[in-house]
Amino acid sequence: MHRKLTLISAPAGYGKTTLVCDWLADCGRPAAWLSLEQEDNEPARFITYMIAALQTIAENIGEGVLSVLHSPQPPPIKSILTAILHELAAIPFPFILVLDDYHAASPSEVDEAVAFLLDHLPHSMHLVLTTREDPAISLPRLRVRDQITELRAADMRFTLSEAEAFFNQVMELNLSKDHVTDFQSRTEGWAAGLRLAAISMQEERDADRLLQSFTGNHHFVLDYLVEEVLQRQSEDVQVFLLQTSLLDRLCGPLCDELIPEHGASGKDMLIELDRKNLFVIPLDKERRWYRYHHLFADILRRRLLESADEGLIAELHKRASFWYEQQGFEIESFRHAVEARDIERSARLLQGNGMPLHLRGAARVALDWLESLPAQELNARPALWVFYGSALLIAGKPTSIEPKLQAAEAVLEGVEQDAGVRDLIGWIAATRATLASLSLTDSSDVSELRLEAAEAAMQDSDREDKTDELVEFIAPVRKALVRDTEGIDLIMAQSRRALAYLQPDNLSARTASAWMLGVACQRRGIYAEALEAYNEVIANCRRINHRLMAIMAMIGIAQIQEAEGRTDLAAERYREALGLAGDLPHPAIEEARLDLERLRRVLEDGRKGDLLSPREIEVLELIAKGHSNREIAGKLFLALDTVKGHNRRIFEKLQVQRRTEAIARARELNLLMGTPKPH
């Protein structure tokens, strides 16, 4: 109350008027209330009604002003306001003036009058404005002077606890917390939306059924938003709202690309919509990106479909797709290309410049599109059959994959094997290797059931990308008891085929193939090939930023080193894997922690007096094999300076000056693998 102005600015239906009424009942001050309408946009009329409102708390106020105001030649508005202010200053008690629905009567003349009032407001008077759009008065100046309290949509939204109290205490609906959460999320805390949902519940009584239909197209919501919001806008604003509604996010340049013929710039329109509180929500502090309120977006999209022909809608999606691609947003570009039904563009974008989009978070949208295409379109583009199978894998649906791979092979049969075709053949092999890995079990008789069980387990997860679940199914086991040698042979054969055919830059497929080859070779006891495969996985994961698969590869290497009796190196690898894992929850990581603790005890008991650390021994062994510092850094994935540091410490501990001396001294101390033990 120590500030001059309270501004409550929010879209229609956020409870602005209700809030002020409730506040006034308890604030302890008399209040004059003026609800403005469209006709009150003429200054003389506005001042007349304001005086009438003020007379409810001071009966004789403004009587002389009213007679002058309606004379044939009234004085300037500022003179009239000055006279009113003198009378207001004489009121002996603090009071409040509320201008409700200020947006209905705010041309420049009324804004100027209110700004003048604020500049000269008596200390005893407090002004409250409720509005659907920010008034054209100097809000920044008021903020700097600490003369304004602002409440906006974010402050007015119902929280979960408030929504629960409204539904179950006020409306007595006895909804479960889950249902309340869903309605609060669907309405984004919009008071009118919650109210409309509660009214609908009184008729429907089936919360689950109502939730399915409660969108911007629900008849209560639709009627409210159309009548209270959309129809009140100018034709230009309506066109902008409708044609940009197909965007999930909006920014000025994107809107300009979408509607180049629109008079105002996209940036200016978004700023204006935000000022008018037209259900646009800023997504960043700089107000570059916005989105529409979900229910408002629903109604805009429906009306766009009803009012525009398919050609215009497809063109809008193409423009959005082009803009997103130019900005490097390939997934968004793909989504709009799909909506535009542009198969050629969608197919090109799906390939993703080296890593297909279904491997980068777009598995579901890719799969939905591929499922919608007729077989002849897929046959014309065999890569889509291959991506179809791969997308099913990422979506955790392995039982449906093999027919897609066979369809791809049928189309590719007899086609000249250029680099692109060879890459597709390699991808097919990589996908089959994964299927074989998922089917691997103690008995080949139940491998198909194992595949179905894996699919059922993966579908329990809400995550769209099931890569982590796939890794968990295929993770190396320190003591694997798999007797399905035929299955392991199939995994190795398909993985080797994949690595032979896949292009070097197809890192995602190569990494998966190397990973499965490493696991299969480890289970078969072919340790040298397994280590080579795991090291490729680690190197690739650094480039594609796949932490979990790198961790699993490190654990696999540690298990192999332990099986070979290289306890120090195994412990070091476990430590690296756990360091990279951090707090990541995973059964194999937990097992690795237990294995490391066990190895620590073994090392403490048997090798307390070791001269060199495990990593120093690893570096020394590579020195003995003739590798340069740079080659050692590459093999151990260390920085060159780190390798040089290891060299210095090795020389110091062995008390030598050069490499040849270090190797000779290490052999004397039996520090190198293959060194004969002294008799």
Side-chain angles (χ1 to χ4, degrees):
M1 295 295 292
H2 68 279
R3 300 184 178 97
K4 290 184 175 183
L5 173 65
T6 295
L7 175 68
I8 304 177
S9 179
Y14 268 84
K16 301 180 291 294
T17 300
T18 303
L19 174 64
V20 174
C21 288
D22 195 52
W23 171 65
L24 289 178
D26 295 323
C27 77
R29 294 188 182 187
W33 186 287
L34 174 57
S35 292
L36 295 167
E37 299 177 356
Q38 293 280 348
E39 295 79 13
D40 301 333
N41 56 12
E42 195 274 322
R45 185 184 178 96
F46 166 74
I47 292 172
T48 299
Y49 285 134
M50 182 181 70
I51 290 173
L54 290 167
Q55 286 176 346
T56 62
I57 59 172
E59 186 175 354
N60 298 320
I61 198 165
E63 287 184 345
V65 170
L66 285 176
S67 60
V68 173
L69 187 63
H70 295 104
S71 64
Q73 290 184 327
I77 294 298
K78 288 187 178 181
S79 299
I80 294 173
L81 290 173
T82 300
I84 295 174
L85 286 165
H86 281 305
E87 294 187 48
L88 293 176
I91 296 177
F93 49 82
F95 65 96
I96 298 166
L97 171 62
V98 178
L99 300 181
D100 189 32
D101 286 341
Y102 183 76
H103 58 273
S106 58
S108 58
E109 293 88 350
V110 174
D111 286 328
E112 289 172 6
V114 171
F116 186 83
L117 282 174
L118 283 168
D119 283 342
H120 303 87
L121 205 67
H123 291 296
S124 59
M125 181 176 174
H126 184 78
L127 184 63
V128 176
L129 298 185
T130 74
T131 179
R132 294 183 186 179
E133 59 187 69
D134 283 1
I137 58 181
S138 183
L139 299 181
R141 185 178 62 178
L142 292 169
R143 292 183 190 117
V144 168
R145 294 177 177 179
D146 192 29
Q147 294 176 344
I148 180 172
T149 298
E150 297 176 78
L151 290 176
R152 298 188 174 274
D155 307 301
M156 307 286 286
R157 292 189 185 104
F158 275 52
T159 64
L160 180 59
S161 61
E162 291 165 347
E164 188 172 16
F166 170 70
F167 279 121
N168 294 336
Q169 296 175 27
V170 178
M171 303 301 292
E172 300 181 345
L173 292 174
N174 297 319
L175 295 182
S176 70
K177 189 160 189 176
D178 286 344
H179 285 142
V180 173
T181 300
D182 287 340
F183 278 119
Q184 194 266 351
S185 174
R186 191 72 56 87
T187 61
E188 301 187 52
W190 177 40
L194 293 170
R195 179 77 177 181
L196 295 172
I199 294 171
S200 300
M201 271 298 300
Q202 290 175 332
E203 297 180 1
E204 179 67 46
R205 306 306 301 180
D206 185 339
D208 289 321
R209 184 174 174 182
L210 179 60
L211 275 166
Q212 292 178 359
S213 64
F214 198 77
T215 66
N217 299 323
H218 186 280
H219 64 99
F220 284 164
V221 180
L222 179 65
D223 292 345
Y224 185 92
L225 289 175
V226 169
E227 182 177 340
E228 291 293 324
V229 180
L230 195 57
Q231 289 182 349
R232 295 173 182 248
Q233 308 309 314
S234 67
E235 184 177 350
D236 279 353
V237 171
Q238 290 192 43
V239 168
F240 184 90
L241 291 170
L242 293 178
Q243 295 193 6
T244 58
S245 67
L246 51 77
L247 300 171
D248 292 329
R249 298 187 304 157
L250 306 92
C251 69
L254 174 54
C255 294
D256 290 336
E257 181 72 31
L258 211 66
I259 321 175
E261 65 278 4
H262 197 272
S265 73
K267 179 181 178 180
D268 291 343
M269 280 297 298
L270 289 171
I271 291 173
E272 182 66 9
L273 294 180
D274 188 20
R275 189 187 72 81
K276 288 185 173 182
N277 285 314
L278 273 178
F279 288 89
V280 292
I281 299 171
L283 297 177
D284 53 47
K285 292 182 179 179
E286 294 77 19
R287 279 172 158 71
R288 287 195 295 261
W289 286 95
Y290 297 81
R291 70 169 174 85
Y292 291 121
H293 187 289
H294 295 317
L295 294 178
F296 193 49
D298 286 342
I299 179 179
L300 292 175
R301 288 165 186 164
R302 173 174 171 174
R303 289 180 73 84
L304 177 65
L305 290 173
E306 292 172 347
S307 62
D309 60 65
E310 291 185 5
L312 173 60
I313 295 174
E315 179 61 28
L316 291 172
H317 280 296
K318 284 182 180 179
R319 292 174 184 176
S321 177
F322 176 81
W323 187 88
Y324 274 122
E325 184 181 15
Q326 293 294 107
Q327 304 304 314
F329 300 116
E330 293 174 274
I331 293 177
E332 290 84 354
S333 180
F334 172 71
R335 287 196 177 106
H336 284 285
V338 169
E339 292 292 338
R341 300 182 182 178
D342 188 333
I343 296 177
E344 286 298 330
R345 180 175 181 79
S346 301
R348 177 178 63 78
L349 289 167
L350 181 60
Q351 295 183 49
N353 293 324
M355 182 181 287
L357 299 185
H358 68 273
L359 301 179
R360 289 153 54 185
R364 186 167 299 164
V365 66
L367 201 53
D368 289 344
W369 177 63
L370 291 166
E371 288 173 347
S372 73
L373 296 179
Q376 60 266 28
E377 295 289 357
L378 296 168
N379 288 337
R381 306 166 185 82
L384 294 184
W385 278 121
V386 178
F387 292 157
Y388 200 163
S390 181
L392 284 167
L393 187 62
I394 297 302
K397 299 178 179 179
T399 59
S400 306
I401 292 174
E402 183 57 32
K404 311 303 185 288
L405 303 183
Q406 292 177 7
E409 288 177 324
V411 179
L412 292 172
E413 188 175 356
V415 175
E416 181 182 353
Q417 290 191 9
D418 59 14
V421 171
R422 287 181 61 82
D423 200 55
L424 293 178
I425 293 171
W427 208 308
I428 292 170
T431 305
R432 284 206 173 109
T434 309
L435 293 178
S437 297
L438 291 173
S439 302
L440 200 62
T441 178
D442 289 353
S443 170
S444 59
D445 295 334
V446 295
S447 60
E448 187 172 332
L449 294 177
R450 172 68 187 261
L451 202 61
E452 293 175 357
E455 179 167 320
M458 285 189 283
Q459 291 309 307
D460 284 342
S461 167
D462 293 332
R463 286 185 294 193
E464 180 177 336
D465 188 326
K466 311 292 185 183
T467 302
D468 288 356
E469 286 83 351
L470 291 168
V471 172
E472 185 171 337
F473 274 108
I474 306 171
V477 182
R478 189 166 55 85
K479 295 181 179 179
L481 299 175
V482 177
R483 296 187 293 272
D484 184 4
T485 56
E486 184 179 342
I488 295 177
D489 289 343
L490 178 59
I491 296 170
M492 290 193 295
Q494 292 290 352
S495 298
R496 289 166 179 159
R497 178 177 171 82
L499 292 170
Y501 276 85
L502 289 166
Q503 294 186 55
D505 61 350
N506 193 341
L507 293 178
S508 54
R510 290 193 67 87
T511 303
S513 302
W515 155 251
M516 289 177 290
L517 179 60
V519 172
C521 288
Q522 180 183 346
R523 292 188 175 190
R524 178 56 66 81
I526 309 173
Y527 290 156
E529 188 173 2
L531 289 171
E532 183 180 354
Y534 282 147
N535 280 321
E536 180 174 348
V537 171
I538 295 169
N540 289 347
C541 283
R542 295 179 192 275
R543 297 176 62 184
I544 63 176
N545 195 28
H546 197 292
R547 183 163 61 126
L548 181 58
M549 199 174 288
I551 294 166
M552 294 297 105
M554 290 177 182
I555 291 173
I557 292 173
Q559 292 169 351
I560 292 172
Q561 289 172 331
E562 184 181 353
E564 292 179 333
R566 306 169 74 183
T567 309
D568 289 355
L569 296 180
E572 183 70 20
R573 274 297 183 177
Y574 278 132
R575 278 191 287 269
E576 287 184 39
L578 294 174
L580 182 59
D583 297 328
L584 189 68
H586 194 283
I589 295 173
E590 294 305 316
E591 183 181 350
R593 286 194 176 95
L594 296 176
D595 286 338
L596 179 58
E597 288 302 318
R598 176 175 47 77
L599 291 184
R600 279 174 178 165
R601 291 194 294 270
V602 171
L603 291 170
E604 286 172 2
D605 292 340
R607 300 190 63 185
K608 290 182 179 178
D610 275 356
L611 184 60
L612 301 180
S613 71
R615 177 60 90 187
E616 289 167 351
I617 290 175
E618 200 171 11
V619 171
L620 186 57
E621 287 182 346
L622 292 173
I623 290 174
K625 292 178 181 179
H627 292 292
S628 67
N629 286 344
R630 190 172 298 280
E631 289 171 338
I632 293 172
K635 285 184 172 294
L636 298 182
F637 305 102
L638 299 173
L640 183 57
D641 287 343
T642 303
V643 174
K644 291 178 179 178
H646 284 310
N647 284 345
R648 285 194 301 273
R649 286 187 291 275
I650 291 169
F651 290 177
E652 290 170 0
K653 291 179 179 181
L654 297 182
Q655 297 181 352
V656 297
Q657 298 294 325
R658 53 183 63 89
R659 282 178 163 225
T660 54
E661 294 174 355
I663 295 167
R665 180 62 176 156
R667 284 176 176 157
E668 290 175 7
L669 297 173
N670 299 316
L671 297 178
L672 300 176
M673 287 288 294
T675 301
K677 295 188 180 296
H679 297 289

